[in-house]
Amino acid sequence: MSTKRSAGPSPEGIARSERQRAAAEEGAKAMADAERQSFDVRKNMARLRELREAKEIADAAARASLPAAVPKKRAKKSPQ
């Protein structure tokens, strides 16, 4: 009482392989999207870092070009 397997794939097997193929495609798309998004984030972070460093250099140059602040002398209180 042995059963013979049919020569062609069953409808369930076809459906399963189709779902696996679709999932693999979706996974590849998701990975590509995540990589692209992380690249964009790193690129933006580098741009912002360059802007911040340029601003810090400009601020330091502006402070250096200003005359040094002369500390004010405090008036002594007369003893009463």
Side-chain angles (χ1 to χ4, degrees):
M1 301 210 207
S2 64
T3 58
K4 291 187 177 182
R5 295 189 71 142
S6 62
S10 68
E12 293 85 16
I14 294 171
R16 183 177 344 110
S17 64
E18 181 63 28
R19 284 192 307 268
Q20 289 174 342
R21 185 193 58 77
E25 286 178 4
E26 284 294 317
K29 286 180 186 178
M31 289 298 294
D33 187 43
E35 288 176 15
R36 186 173 32 258
Q37 201 171 24
S38 66
F39 174 77
D40 291 341
V41 167
R42 286 191 306 273
K43 184 177 174 183
N44 190 41
M45 286 175 54
R47 181 185 64 86
L48 292 174
R49 183 181 311 112
E50 288 176 5
L51 288 173
R52 178 179 43 84
E53 290 171 351
K55 182 181 181 306
E56 289 172 353
I57 291 170
D59 289 347
R63 277 193 306 268
S65 67
L66 293 176
V70 178
K72 295 182 180 179
K73 294 183 180 180
R74 293 186 181 186
K76 293 184 179 180
K77 291 186 179 181
S78 59
Q80 292 181 353

